[in-house]
Amino acid sequence: MGSMPPRKLVRHLVWLESFTAAVEAGSIESAAEHLGVARSVVSEHIRALEMALADGATLLERGPGRRLQLTARGERLFAGTQTPLHQLDMKRLRDLASAEPVVRLGLNPTLSLSLLGKVAQNAAATGLKLVLSFGGPHELTRQVQTRQLDLALDFTPLPPHEGVESESLLRMSFVVLAGPGSALATSSSARRTLHVRDLAGQPFVDWLRDDPYGGANSARFAEHGVAVQEVARVESFLLLYELLRAFRACAITPDLRPMHPFPDDIHAWPLKEEEPQAVEVVALWPSGSLSPGAASVLDGLRQRV
């Protein structure tokens, strides 16, 4: 039986292989030697990549001592290509090598509700192109580690995050929320704060079991010997309010009000705890690689929150 033919890379990935080899080796000659091809082949591949992605603009130029160095556009392309090959389609590569600054921003869904409007206004005002995606903490952290995202916004606690820098933007305490017409809203409307014990027997909307807040709520109830009637479970504020209304239920959540008001018909009380807990909004980016566009978004966020 004959051996399998070698798997052929998509054309733009062949060009990319020559480009990254030239960057890493420091010269066309060394890259050609490393790849086992003629020098002219590596040059042709790099030129083809420049034509396809950057309208012919150079991605590599001769620096001191004739060693190759990256242009600003080449720098962005090279940083963004340190990621699994199957994720590098032509559209993504064009974004990386484009003259206009592009920021690939990943958001926790709840934070999109609170922060996206302001981020988008700042980006539009400064000519930044935004490429947006949602994700949970594990997904967002992994995408920052593999440089698929320039910046991500999430809540603590974070999974282990080697190769990722982070900055806390805001610290939030916890509150109790209740839907209109709920027994809790009726009986406690005049109260200034509520305790976990006040939720005994109430219809309750929790966070998904593996969500850190869901775990925190379970611990709170266990510690105080409180049982609630769980009517639903969610993963984001995007889903929470409608459930509080429909089930006339309550929930324990981070206090988003420093960023975004709760709906007018949702009742809110600070949660009184013996050892008050808090959660932080954090920005994440690849270590040593905060792009100018991402830095601009981050500056806007610092002022916003």
Side-chain angles (χ1 to χ4, degrees), residues 20-173:
T20 51
V23 173
E24 287 163 359
S27 72
I28 301 284
E29 294 77 8
S30 302
E33 196 175 316
H34 170 71
L35 294 171
V37 296
R39 183 190 184 287
S40 59
V41 171
V42 175
S43 296
E44 280 165 24
H45 287 173
I46 292 171
R47 192 70 195 133
L49 199 63
E50 290 171 337
M51 295 305 292
L53 302 185
D55 303 319
T58 52
L59 299 170
L60 278 169
E61 57 192 11
R62 294 271 179 209
R66 294 186 56 74
R67 187 175 172 81
L68 288 175
Q69 61 185 32
L70 290 158
T71 63
R73 291 171 78 165
E75 189 92 51
R76 286 202 300 273
L77 178 64
F78 183 67
T81 55
Q82 309 304 297
T83 192
L85 284 180
H86 68 272
Q87 289 160 355
L88 296 174
D89 58 35
M90 282 297 277
K91 188 167 174 24
R92 165 109 190 274
L93 292 173
R94 276 196 201 99
D95 279 345
L96 289 169
S98 75
E100 59 180 340
V102 175
V103 175
R104 296 162 300 155
L105 176 64
L107 290 156
N108 164 293
T110 291
L111 288 174
S112 70
L113 187 78
S114 316
L115 297 177
L116 183 53
K118 197 65 179 173
V119 168
Q121 284 167 10
N122 290 350
T126 54
L128 269 180
K129 178 177 176 180
L130 284 179
V131 178
L132 296 166
S133 58
F134 280 160
H138 289 278
E139 179 64 10
L140 290 177
T141 303
R142 189 183 62 75
Q143 290 192 351
V144 172
Q145 284 171 323
T146 54
R147 297 175 181 264
Q148 294 170 63
L149 291 174
D150 302 305
L151 189 67
L153 302 174
D154 203 356
F155 292 112
T156 56
L158 294 170
H161 50 286
E162 272 178 62
V164 172
E165 291 180 47
S166 64
E167 178 182 324
S168 174
L169 299 174
L170 179 67
R171 186 177 167 83
M172 295 179 294
S173 52

